[in-house]
Amino acid sequence: MEDYKTHKLVIYNDDVNSYDYIMACLIRICDHERLQAEQCVVVAHNTGRCTVKTGDYMEMLEIKSTFDNLDIKSEIKEYAQSDMY
């Protein structure tokens, strides 16, 4: 079965969660490597948001639900290859 990337999950910068907390969540929940998680946190901090995962809608919904439970502000958007951030 081919993997369809129809949606993306975007996290947003906030003044509540620490870098280390967000990095740990990205590593555990999104299977990011440490460097990838660190880069996502820096991008979110500097630009206000960062796409952290792409995939089908149900996969993104499951991760977003986990983020919601962990007080990480996120949003599911339709995937467009040209705008990853």
Side-chain angles (χ1 to χ4, degrees), residues 6-83:
T6 58
H7 290 80
K8 62 184 179 180
L9 185 65
V10 178
I11 62 168
Y12 292 93
N13 186 44
D14 64 36
D15 294 328
V16 178
N17 296 305
S18 70
Y19 275 36
D20 290 335
Y21 176 73
I22 299 297
M23 282 178 52
C25 291
L26 291 175
I27 290 167
R28 188 178 52 132
I29 298 162
C30 297
D31 296 322
H32 284 198
E33 295 293 326
R34 181 170 173 74
L35 179 60
Q36 182 183 13
E38 186 175 3
Q39 290 171 337
C40 286
V41 171
V42 169
V43 168
H45 176 74
N46 290 333
T47 67
R49 65 183 174 172
C50 182
T51 298
V52 295
K53 191 85 170 169
T54 58
D56 65 52
Y57 180 79
M58 292 309 293
E59 179 186 9
M60 298 304 100
L61 185 60
E62 184 177 322
I63 296 170
K64 183 186 183 329
S65 176
T66 303
F67 281 172
D68 289 346
N69 290 333
L70 296 171
D71 295 324
I72 298 172
K73 187 177 176 188
S74 64
E75 180 180 21
I76 299 171
K77 294 187 171 193
E78 286 191 38
Y79 178 74
Q81 194 128 9
S82 62
D83 83 329

